[in-house]
């Protein structure tokens, strides 16, 4: 999310719009930074000036530039003004061309020079790209930890797999609701926002990490009550009913508190914070009231005794609880 997506009810954003109207060339910038030996300072400066001349007539740029060099002459920076907001195609395409064409053809030919392109537009492009690359690893790690902790706690591979599937189901449902609300315009008046047609790049990360932690709390609490009943020798069906009955009040109360806390973020003006608060409130609501209290017990009822595989603790409890069969007495 760029600054252009913030609510205009914020005074600073109205001033920002007035500044952009008065100085449109200052909406964003590219910064070409070069590091080289001090003896190559003149060569680097000439190359950067050549780069500035190459892009001067580019309609995606303002045509103005500023060249500065550090006192030790080892670092030089060319600042190119962009008259477009960072999220626009014009700004993004100009960044790609500078990195892939203009820099290699100019300062990229200076021997021993290190170059990088930063600035407002680059930060807008690079952060989501980095997150997109790392997010699958984060989700994979969360799923692995979820599975391992569930197996260790309940001595059951089946319940570990159930936890992974239900966490993915909860997160997917929450993301679906988030997209339905914020990537369209039908809920703008309801939630008080102006749709940008997109989701903030950090929202899925926050959603996955926080939701997995909360959902595991709820799952461990519910399954613990069910397993305690099963270890007393209670049949699985009855143990599920007893466990849900004994934990439903606590789970729903805790979820209600979290939903209230997260929903308060949805009242903020910043669209990304609004999306984070809304998505987490919906996620906890769905997870606690639908996934853990409806889907989880239903799935455990269908699995029956397979819930506890490969643990033998429940089977031993069953055998101990069952009364020994008495021999039949002869009938006279």
């Amino acid at each position: 999310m760029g600054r252009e997506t913030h609510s205009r009810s914020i005074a600073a954003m109205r001033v920002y719009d007035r500044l952009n109207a008065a100085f449109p060339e200052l909406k964003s910038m590219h910064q070409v930074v070069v590091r080289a030996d001090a003896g190559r300072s003149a060569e680097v400066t000439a190359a950067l000036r050549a780069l500035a001349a190459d892009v001067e007539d580019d309609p995606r740029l303002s045509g103005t530039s500023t060249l500065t060099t550090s006192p030790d002459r080892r670092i030089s920076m060319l600042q190119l003004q962009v008259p477009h907001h960072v999220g626009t195609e014009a700004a993004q395409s100009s960044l790609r061309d500078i990195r892939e064409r203009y820099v290699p053809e100019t300062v990229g030919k200076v021997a021993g020079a290190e170059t990088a392109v930063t600035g407002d537009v680059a930060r807008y492009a690079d952060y989501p790209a980095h997150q997109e690359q790392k997010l699958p690893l984060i989700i994979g790690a969360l799923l692995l930890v979820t599975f391992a902790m569930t197996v260790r706690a309940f001595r059951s591979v089946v319940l570990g797999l159930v936890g992974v599937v239900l966490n993915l189901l909860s997160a997917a449902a929450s993301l679906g609701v988030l997209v339905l609300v914020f990537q369209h315009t039908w809920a703008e008046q309801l939630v008080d926002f102006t749709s940008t047609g997109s989701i903030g790049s950090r929202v899925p990360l926050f959603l996955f990490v926080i939701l997995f932690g909360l959902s595991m709390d709820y799952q461990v609490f519910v399954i613990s009550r069910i397993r305690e009943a099963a270890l007393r020798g209670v049949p699985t069906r009855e143990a599920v009913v007893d466990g849900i009955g004994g934990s439903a009040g606590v789970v729903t109360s805790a979820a209600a508190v979290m939903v209230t806390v997260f929903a308060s973020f949805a009242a903020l003006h910043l669209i990304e914070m609004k999306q984070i608060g809304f998505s987490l409130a919906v996620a906890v609501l769905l997870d606690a009231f639908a996934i853990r209290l409806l889907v989880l017990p239903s799935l455990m009822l269908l699995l029956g005794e397979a819930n506890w595989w490969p643990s033998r603790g429940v089977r031993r409890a069953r055998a101990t609880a069952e009364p020994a069969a008495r021999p039949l007495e002869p009938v006279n």
Side-chain angles (χ1 to χ4, degrees):
M1 294 292 181
R3 282 173 290 188
E4 69 275 12
T5 66
H6 298 339
S7 172
R8 265 41 198 174
S9 61
I10 302 174
M13 291 299 98
R14 295 196 296 272
V15 175
Y16 175 73
D17 289 339
R18 291 170 62 189
L19 286 173
N20 284 332
F23 306 99
E25 71 278 5
L26 300 180
K27 287 182 178 178
S28 55
M29 71 178 72
H30 301 305
Q31 293 172 317
V32 182
V33 184
V34 183
R35 181 171 65 182
D37 293 337
R40 293 188 176 274
S41 178
E43 188 177 354
V44 169
T45 300
L48 287 174
R49 285 176 176 161
L51 193 158
D54 289 344
V55 301
E56 188 173 0
D57 295 329
D58 192 320
R60 297 167 299 180
L61 303 177
S62 66
T64 59
S65 62
T66 304
L67 177 60
T68 55
T69 302
S70 63
D72 62 4
R73 301 171 60 199
R74 295 178 63 249
I75 308 295
S76 299
M77 182 182 70
L78 176 67
Q79 183 167 293
L80 304 171
Q81 301 299 338
V82 182
H84 305 283
H85 289 299
V86 293
T88 61
E89 176 57 27
Q92 292 295 308
S93 62
S94 66
L95 172 66
R96 290 192 294 269
D97 284 348
I98 288 174
R99 283 177 166 174
E100 298 171 8
R101 181 159 62 109
Y102 293 119
V103 167
E105 292 176 355
T106 53
V107 290
K109 294 181 178 180
V110 178
E114 299 177 59
T115 62
V117 181
T118 183
D120 301 330
V121 183
R123 284 191 292 272
Y124 184 92
D126 292 349
Y127 179 83
H130 174 76
Q131 183 172 287
E132 184 177 352
Q133 180 185 5
K134 299 298 183 181
L135 189 58
L137 298 177
I138 296 173
I139 296 175
L142 290 173
L143 293 175
L144 181 61
V145 171
T146 297
F147 176 78
M149 294 302 296
T150 304
V151 171
R152 185 179 184 278
F154 301 112
R155 306 294 192 271
S156 170
V157 173
V158 174
L159 289 178
L161 293 174
V162 167
V164 168
V165 171
L166 293 185
N167 279 357
L168 287 175
L169 177 62
S170 178
S174 305
L175 285 173
V177 175
L178 179 67
V179 169
L180 181 65
V181 171
F182 284 96
Q183 285 193 191
H184 303 279
T185 59
W186 64 271
E188 287 183 331
Q189 297 300 320
L190 183 64
V191 193
D192 187 24
F193 74 102
T194 299
S195 177
T196 62
S198 61
I199 301 299
S201 59
R202 288 174 287 195
V203 176
L205 178 63
F206 278 95
L207 176 63
F208 275 109
V209 172
I210 297 176
L211 177 59
F212 271 55
L214 291 175
S215 61
M216 281 306 298
D217 282 346
Y218 300 148
Q219 174 149 319
V220 167
F221 192 79
V222 172
I223 296 181
S224 295
R225 301 287 82 78
I226 296 173
R227 187 168 183 268
E228 288 171 2
L231 289 175
R232 293 196 301 268
V234 177
T236 297
R237 186 177 186 84
E238 185 179 341
V240 171
V241 174
D242 291 346
I244 293 299
S247 61
V250 176
V251 171
T252 54
S253 298
V257 173
M258 297 308 299
V259 169
T260 304
V261 171
F262 290 136
S264 65
F265 284 82
L268 297 178
H269 293 298
L270 299 181
I271 185 66
E272 194 169 27
M273 295 302 297
K274 187 184 289 289
Q275 290 178 355
I276 290 173
F278 178 86
S279 63
L280 286 173
V282 170
V284 172
L285 193 65
L286 290 174
D287 190 83
F289 290 89
I291 303 296
R292 306 302 159 184
L293 297 184
L294 292 176
V295 178
L296 175 61
S298 300
L299 191 56
M300 292 188 71
L301 288 176
L302 291 174
L303 291 171
E305 296 303 317
N307 284 297
W308 317 113
W309 185 85
S311 174
R312 299 179 181 179
V314 174
R315 289 197 294 272
R316 286 198 298 266
R318 295 269 196 279
T320 304
E322 291 177 357
R326 292 181 300 177
L328 295 176
E329 296 180 0
V331 179
N332 296 329

